[in-house]
Amino acid sequence: ILVTRPVTNLAREQLAAIRDHDYSRAYSYTSTEFQKETSEADFENFLQKYPVLLDNVDATFTNREINNNRAIISGSITSKD
């Protein structure tokens, strides 16, 4: 868990930026690879389609792993609704 803590902290920071409607900051937390494939406008359009992301109040990360220098986390997000 200690090895993956920075990744979950980063995810929480990104969710906070989304909650604050600071989509540029949220986009800045994405990987360089993601940014090469996805424009900031496309990222924002994606967020607009998922109110649970926009209205997030909590997140729990139940699965965490690092493979080949790539972190993978999964869990659940709670929205205010």
Side-chain angles (χ1 to χ4, degrees), residues 1-38:
I1 291 179
L2 291 176
V3 173
T4 59
R5 183 173 292 151
V7 176
T8 57
N9 289 344
L10 185 68
R12 288 183 193 288
E13 288 294 321
Q14 184 181 47
L15 288 169
I18 293 168
R19 185 173 49 250
D20 294 341
H21 304 284
D22 188 347
Y23 305 126
S24 291
R25 184 168 55 110
Y27 183 75
S28 76
Y29 290 117
T30 63
S31 70
T32 304
E33 286 180 28
F34 179 86
Q35 291 176 9
K36 285 179 184 175
E37 299 291 324
T38 308

